Amino acid sequence: MSITKDMFIGEILDAYPETAPGFVAMGMHCLHCPSARGETLAEACAVHGVDADEMLKKLEAMVK
């Protein structure tokens, strides 16, 4: 399974818990809140002013 921008944050965290620090660094401090877990990676990046492609690269590097 690879990470995509349309995956929910909850899906990513469930499959790859080691990505949590990447989300915290992005500004997502409440990773287990229902709203955070129900956002896609693209939505979360938009809300936090982060380039989704760059975040995707960082997360992929964390899981390799």
Side-chain angles (χ1 to χ4, degrees):
M1 179 170 139
S2 62
I3 300 172
T4 64
K5 291 186 280 187
D6 63 334
M7 288 178 73
F8 290 105
I9 300 300
E11 279 182 286
I12 297 169
L13 289 169
D14 290 344
Y16 305 106
E18 65 271 26
T19 61
F23 288 107
V24 172
M26 181 173 88
M28 289 190 73
H29 299 279
C30 184
L31 298 179
H32 300 291
C33 295
S35 60
R37 293 184 58 86
E39 284 182 314
T40 66
L41 177 58
E43 292 168 337
C45 287
V47 168
H48 293 278
V50 174
D51 181 273
D53 292 320
E54 289 300 314
M55 185 64 183
L56 184 58
K57 287 178 191 175
K58 289 178 184 177
L59 294 176
E60 289 175 338
M62 296 177 95
V63 300
K64 289 187 181 186

